[in-house]
mmCIF file of all heavy atoms in Angstrom:
data_model
loop_
_atom_site.group_PDB
_atom_site.id
_atom_site.type_symbol
_atom_site.label_atom_id
_atom_site.label_comp_id
_atom_site.label_asym_id
_atom_site.label_seq_id
_atom_site.Cartn_x
_atom_site.Cartn_y
_atom_site.Cartn_z
ATOM 1 N N GLU A 25 102.142 124.134 95.868
ATOM 2 C CA GLU A 25 102.804 125.228 96.566
ATOM 3 C C GLU A 25 102.250 125.354 97.980
ATOM 4 O O GLU A 25 101.114 124.973 98.291
ATOM 5 C CB GLU A 25 102.661 126.514 95.804
ATOM 6 C CG GLU A 25 101.215 127.000 95.608
ATOM 7 C CD GLU A 25 100.504 126.296 94.396
ATOM 8 O OE1 GLU A 25 101.147 125.654 93.592
ATOM 9 O OE2 GLU A 25 99.250 126.350 94.367
ATOM 10 N N GLU A 26 103.124 125.917 98.856
ATOM 11 C CA GLU A 26 102.705 126.119 100.274
ATOM 12 C C GLU A 26 101.484 127.020 100.311
ATOM 13 O O GLU A 26 101.474 128.038 99.636
ATOM 14 C CB GLU A 26 103.848 126.706 101.067
ATOM 15 C CG GLU A 26 103.540 126.874 102.564
ATOM 16 C CD GLU A 26 104.766 127.274 103.346
ATOM 17 O OE1 GLU A 26 105.807 127.675 102.720
ATOM 18 O OE2 GLU A 26 104.664 127.239 104.556
ATOM 19 N N GLY A 27 100.474 126.602 101.061
ATOM 20 C CA GLY A 27 99.265 127.403 101.122
ATOM 21 C C GLY A 27 98.358 127.249 99.947
ATOM 22 O O GLY A 27 97.352 127.956 99.810
ATOM 23 N N GLY A 28 98.710 126.365 98.963
ATOM 24 C CA GLY A 28 97.966 126.164 97.732
ATOM 25 C C GLY A 28 96.544 125.635 98.061
ATOM 26 O O GLY A 28 96.314 125.032 99.067
ATOM 27 N N ALA A 29 95.635 125.937 97.173
ATOM 28 C CA ALA A 29 94.241 125.484 97.323
ATOM 29 C C ALA A 29 94.068 123.992 97.118
ATOM 30 O O ALA A 29 94.830 123.373 96.408
ATOM 31 C CB ALA A 29 93.346 126.262 96.366
ATOM 32 N N HIS A 30 93.083 123.475 97.857
ATOM 33 C CA HIS A 30 92.646 122.043 97.573
ATOM 34 C C HIS A 30 91.805 122.183 96.306
ATOM 35 O O HIS A 30 91.047 123.127 96.125
ATOM 36 C CB HIS A 30 91.826 121.527 98.710
ATOM 37 C CG HIS A 30 92.545 121.353 99.966
ATOM 38 N ND1 HIS A 30 93.711 120.652 100.069
ATOM 39 C CD2 HIS A 30 92.285 121.806 101.224
ATOM 40 C CE1 HIS A 30 94.140 120.686 101.333
ATOM 41 N NE2 HIS A 30 93.262 121.432 102.065
ATOM 42 N N LYS A 31 91.917 121.207 95.416
ATOM 43 C CA LYS A 31 91.032 121.103 94.265
ATOM 44 C C LYS A 31 90.204 119.892 94.413
ATOM 45 O O LYS A 31 89.752 119.671 95.564
ATOM 46 C CB LYS A 31 91.872 121.021 92.983
ATOM 47 C CG LYS A 31 92.644 122.294 92.635
ATOM 48 C CD LYS A 31 93.476 122.015 91.370
ATOM 49 C CE LYS A 31 94.038 123.252 90.729
ATOM 50 N NZ LYS A 31 94.727 122.962 89.482
ATOM 51 N N GLN A 32 90.004 119.078 93.424
ATOM 52 C CA GLN A 32 89.323 117.787 93.593
ATOM 53 C C GLN A 32 90.115 116.903 94.552
ATOM 54 O O GLN A 32 89.605 116.152 95.323
ATOM 55 C CB GLN A 32 89.110 117.113 92.280
ATOM 56 C CG GLN A 32 88.242 115.799 92.419
ATOM 57 C CD GLN A 32 87.864 115.237 91.091
ATOM 58 O OE1 GLN A 32 87.980 115.866 90.056
ATOM 59 N NE2 GLN A 32 87.443 114.023 91.111
ATOM 60 N N GLY A 33 91.447 117.089 94.460
ATOM 61 C CA GLY A 33 92.361 116.359 95.386
ATOM 62 C C GLY A 33 93.034 117.403 96.294
ATOM 63 O O GLY A 33 92.963 118.596 96.084
ATOM 64 N N PRO A 34 93.686 116.942 97.353
ATOM 65 C CA PRO A 34 94.273 117.895 98.345
ATOM 66 C C PRO A 34 95.535 118.570 97.805
ATOM 67 O O PRO A 34 96.242 118.027 96.901
ATOM 68 C CB PRO A 34 94.679 117.001 99.523
ATOM 69 C CG PRO A 34 94.908 115.643 98.869
ATOM 70 C CD PRO A 34 93.911 115.541 97.749
ATOM 71 N N ASN A 35 95.874 119.748 98.402
ATOM 72 C CA ASN A 35 97.143 120.358 98.124
ATOM 73 C C ASN A 35 98.199 119.378 98.682
ATOM 74 O O ASN A 35 98.034 118.800 99.775
ATOM 75 C CB ASN A 35 97.228 121.736 98.846
ATOM 76 C CG ASN A 35 98.584 122.295 98.895
ATOM 77 O OD1 ASN A 35 99.382 121.978 99.793
ATOM 78 N ND2 ASN A 35 98.923 123.091 97.923
ATOM 79 N N LEU A 36 99.345 119.258 97.985
ATOM 80 C CA LEU A 36 100.297 118.235 98.367
ATOM 81 C C LEU A 36 101.521 118.812 99.118
ATOM 82 O O LEU A 36 102.395 118.033 99.519
ATOM 83 C CB LEU A 36 100.791 117.467 97.081
ATOM 84 C CG LEU A 36 99.746 116.766 96.332
ATOM 85 C CD1 LEU A 36 100.300 116.161 95.046
ATOM 86 C CD2 LEU A 36 99.094 115.691 97.206
ATOM 87 N N TYR A 37 101.555 120.092 99.389
ATOM 88 C CA TYR A 37 102.675 120.691 100.044
ATOM 89 C C TYR A 37 102.882 120.049 101.419
ATOM 90 O O TYR A 37 101.941 119.920 102.210
ATOM 91 C CB TYR A 37 102.552 122.238 100.224
ATOM 92 C CG TYR A 37 103.835 122.820 100.761
ATOM 93 C CD1 TYR A 37 104.904 123.119 99.926
ATOM 94 C CD2 TYR A 37 103.925 123.094 102.120
ATOM 95 C CE1 TYR A 37 106.057 123.684 100.456
ATOM 96 C CE2 TYR A 37 105.120 123.643 102.662
ATOM 97 C CZ TYR A 37 106.138 123.927 101.804
ATOM 98 O OH TYR A 37 107.308 124.456 102.300
ATOM 99 N N GLY A 38 104.123 119.564 101.718
ATOM 100 C CA GLY A 38 104.393 119.060 103.041
ATOM 101 C C GLY A 38 103.932 117.638 103.318
ATOM 102 O O GLY A 38 103.955 117.181 104.443
#
Side-chain angles (χ1 to χ4, degrees):
E25 61 280 345
E26 185 173 10
H30 295 307
K31 292 179 166 183
Q32 185 172 345
N35 168 272
L36 299 175
Y37 186 81

